[in-house]
Amino acid sequence: MATRVIPPRILRNLRYNTATKPLASSHPSSLSPTLSPPCLSDPKPPSQTVLRPALDPSALDFNDVQSLFSYVPTSNLLRSTAVLHATAVEPMVDLGMWIMRSKLFEVEGVKDVILAAIRNTFYGHFCAGEDAVTAGKSIRALNDAGLRGMLVYGVEDAHDNEGCDRNLKCFLHTVDVSRSLPPSSVSFVIVKITAICPMSLLERLSDLLRWQQKDPSFNLPWKQDSFPLFSDSTPLYHTRKRPEALTPQEESDLELAMQRLNELSQKCVQANVPLLVDAEHTSVQPAIDYFTYNAAINHNKGESPIVFGTMQTYLKDAKERLLLATEAADKMGIPMGFKLVRGAYMSSERKLASSLGYASPIHNTIQDTHKCFNDCSSFLLEKVANGPGGLVLATHNIESGKLAAAKAHEIGIGKVNHKLEFAQLLGMSEALSYGLSNAGFQVSKYMPFGPVETVMPYLLRRAEENRGMLAASGFDRLLMRKELGRRLKAALGV
């Protein structure tokens, strides 16, 4: 009797559509179907793929390149390999950044040529599309491959209420788009507080919050419920003198900003899509944490949080602040979710601290940063395994991925579980993403979208922040070359 083989794609869709708590029952009609990948030299259709036993989540397998990249079209592999090779050459990155910041953009004809080149190379590799609907198509393609998407409108800083209101509409629309996609294919909607609250106000709020940490008698009449924002070791050098109280206009602007975040949070509650607040540089992070924790207190109920914060573990005080925040959340009965990242502002943070005559707030060695990330990861894994809350491990580091996978398996959340999500940037660490997914974990790709010009600051920042990581992308490039070689041999019948 012939044995019927269930395609892994179908198994994965079942897995990802039931892993998290269900979305609201009503879903708008689906978006346009994903374009079919090229057939020549691409992987076999899922229906022809042999079903393999489930892998042990404690041992990620990076040797079987056919399995790792089985759902990646050859055209995508070729572009990924080319882009990653280009970004590994630092002079080329420098040239690209110079061009994007140069006055060439003021010359219309030249500008169009540059934007077209960027759109078809770096933008196409690291971004999900020019609007939310196009990003939705990218998420469908990822979902077919067993991954999920974190949708983020790729806007950077806002400087006035008009810009904040405009950005809020885009974030709200992102939630609507996420509801139109297959259930659970969108793991998070991402928001940057710097896009819905004027930067100058965030700086003022952070100064005031830091001064209150220095002087607890310092009264902040506008301050609402929050978790601790600082630890005893948190550097406060940004605020050198006692700041003036908020003006009536600033208090009004603060109220508007809080309303924006609450409106977005409530929209996510209704859509049952978690909202993840990104971290920024330390000069405004206290205000961002204040916004995040207040929204969590107002909207996180039951076992599963809606509002997640982000902790940057390259900061020396990260673990202490994490412990204080989780302890306060437990006492208040608030389920809290965190995304752990290493951090993205190393150069600017060190320069600022040095200019003010202080030691860097970032760990002295990369080994210390790895240890902090892994320690925080272990702590939160145990916490969410034994109680409410959620955890996103955003890492491109193979060893951290292996350690977390083994820990999760050891304590009983090694299988797909809505409390745990791994995440990587779109276009980076593909082998780790697919390896973790094949091992039975939920994995998301961070997917910025928006017009090329709007997302340009994001691309510039990523190029600068991830310079070392892009140059060290040799592991992914090696595996991609192996898979391209295998496909070429298969196509030639070798």
Side-chain angles (χ1 to χ4, degrees):
M1 178 184 295
T3 302
R4 185 182 180 192
V5 176
I6 302 175
R9 177 180 60 82
I10 295 177
L11 290 176
R12 280 175 169 160
N13 282 347
L14 287 172
R15 183 182 83 187
Y16 279 84
N17 289 345
T18 59
T20 60
K21 51 182 185 172
L23 297 174
S25 57
S26 59
H27 289 278
S29 58
S30 61
L31 301 175
S32 303
T34 307
L35 296 175
S36 300
C39 295
L40 182 61
S41 299
D42 277 351
K44 293 180 180 180
S47 60
Q48 299 179 25
T49 305
V50 178
L51 181 63
R52 298 186 306 278
L55 296 175
D56 179 353
S58 65
L60 302 183
D61 182 9
F62 298 106
N63 296 314
D64 186 353
V65 292
Q66 182 176 4
S67 173
L68 281 177
F69 301 112
S70 60
Y71 294 100
V72 183
T74 298
S75 57
N76 287 10
L77 274 180
L78 287 168
R79 185 183 66 183
S80 297
T81 303
V83 170
L84 289 177
H85 269 288
T87 54
V89 180
E90 292 217 15
M92 185 168 289
V93 175
D94 291 334
L95 176 61
M97 291 173 62
W98 178 83
I99 290 174
M100 287 190 283
R101 287 176 170 143
S102 72
K103 293 185 178 181
L104 291 173
F105 267 86
E106 299 174 8
V107 183
E108 279 304 318
V110 177
K111 175 183 176 181
D112 293 341
V113 172
I114 294 173
L115 288 178
I118 293 171
R119 182 181 290 109
N120 292 312
T121 53
F122 300 102
Y123 176 91
H125 182 74
F126 295 111
C127 299
E130 297 207 42
D131 53 46
V133 175
T134 307
K137 293 180 182 179
S138 299
I139 283 181
R140 284 176 179 276
L142 270 184
N143 199 223
D144 286 341
L147 304 182
R148 311 208 293 168
M150 296 176 162
L151 267 180
V152 50
Y153 177 57
V155 68
E156 293 286 314
D157 307 343
H159 299 285
D160 53 40
N161 285 320
E162 182 179 355
C164 291
D165 289 338
R166 186 167 56 249
N167 292 338
L168 175 63
K169 290 180 181 178
C170 293
F171 288 123
L172 293 171
H173 178 58
T174 303
V175 180
D176 289 331
V177 169
S178 73
R179 296 187 65 179
S180 72
L181 295 167
S184 297
S185 60
V186 176
S187 55
F188 291 87
V189 167
I190 310 291
V191 65
K192 291 181 177 293
I193 301 299
T194 52
I196 59 172
C197 179
M199 278 294 295
S200 58
L201 180 57
L202 288 174
E203 291 169 351
R204 289 273 287 124
L205 294 174
S206 295
D207 276 339
L208 289 161
L209 290 165
R210 273 189 290 263
W211 198 263
Q212 188 183 60
Q213 177 69 10
K214 292 182 178 182
D215 178 8
S217 67
F218 187 57
N219 184 38
L220 301 177
W222 44 265
K223 189 177 179 182
Q224 301 179 23
D225 288 340
S226 177
F227 305 143
L229 306 174
F230 309 96
S231 73
D232 290 340
S233 65
T234 299
L236 305 173
Y237 52 73
H238 305 78
T239 308
R240 312 299 293 276
K241 61 181 181 179
R242 180 188 177 101
E244 297 293 328
L246 293 182
T247 66
Q249 181 61 55
E250 287 175 325
E251 288 201 19
S252 175
D253 290 347
L254 171 58
E255 185 175 351
L256 288 173
M258 296 290 281
Q259 288 174 2
R260 292 186 194 102
L261 181 57
N262 281 324
E263 182 179 353
L264 181 58
S265 300
Q266 189 57 42
K267 181 98 170 179
C268 287
V269 169
Q270 294 167 357
N272 212 3
V273 178
L275 178 68
L276 199 158
V277 181
D278 262 346
E280 306 284 345
H281 42 87
T282 57
S283 62
V284 294
Q285 191 59 45
I288 292 170
D289 286 341
Y290 169 71
F291 273 86
T292 303
Y293 295 155
N294 179 257
I297 290 169
N298 290 330
H299 298 285
N300 288 0
K301 312 294 180 185
E303 291 288 310
S304 302
I306 282 289
V307 179
F308 281 62
T310 299
M311 193 68 67
Q312 300 187 98
T313 60
Y314 71 172
L315 296 172
K316 295 173 181 176
D317 67 336
K319 187 175 180 180
E320 292 179 19
R321 287 190 294 112
L322 178 63
L323 293 173
L324 290 170
T326 53
E327 181 181 0
D330 288 345
K331 287 182 179 178
M332 296 177 68
I334 305 296
M336 190 62 205
F338 281 100
K339 177 180 75 168
L340 292 184
V341 299
R342 277 170 170 75
Y345 302 91
M346 185 178 300
S347 176
S348 58
E349 293 289 7
R350 285 176 171 164
K351 286 179 182 177
L352 176 61
S354 177
S355 70
L356 297 174
Y358 286 85
S360 170
I362 294 170
H363 288 296
N364 296 333
T365 67
I366 187 62
Q367 288 76 19
D368 289 340
T369 294
H370 291 333
K371 184 178 186 304
C372 185
F373 182 94
N374 294 333
D375 287 350
C376 291
S377 170
S378 180
F379 166 74
L380 286 177
L381 281 168
E382 292 185 0
K383 191 165 187 61
V384 300
N386 299 311
L391 171 60
V392 178
L393 294 176
T395 180
H396 299 90
N397 183 276
I398 298 292
E399 291 306 313
S400 289
K402 288 180 177 179
L403 284 172
K407 178 74 174 182
H409 184 53
E410 172 192 333
I411 61 179
I413 55 174
K415 296 300 181 183
V416 173
N417 188 302
H418 73 266
K419 291 184 176 183
L420 172 62
E421 188 94 18
F422 285 91
Q424 289 81 41
L425 294 172
L426 183 65
M428 296 183 67
S429 298
E430 306 291 74
L432 180 58
S433 297
Y434 288 112
L436 286 164
S437 177
N438 288 347
F441 293 98
Q442 284 188 156
V443 182
S444 286
K445 301 298 275 188
Y446 185 98
M447 305 179 72
F449 69 90
V452 179
E453 289 185 81
T454 300
V455 182
M456 192 75 71
Y458 167 85
L459 288 173
L460 284 167
R461 191 162 56 82
R462 285 300 182 199
E464 182 63 37
E465 294 161 4
N466 298 317
R467 180 185 297 272
M469 188 161 55
L470 288 166
S473 62
F475 183 68
D476 256 22
R477 286 180 279 131
L478 173 63
L479 296 181
M480 288 178 182
R481 285 198 303 271
K482 284 185 177 180
E483 173 59 6
L484 285 170
R486 187 200 65 78
R487 292 184 189 183
L488 179 59
K489 289 180 181 178
L492 296 175
V494 178

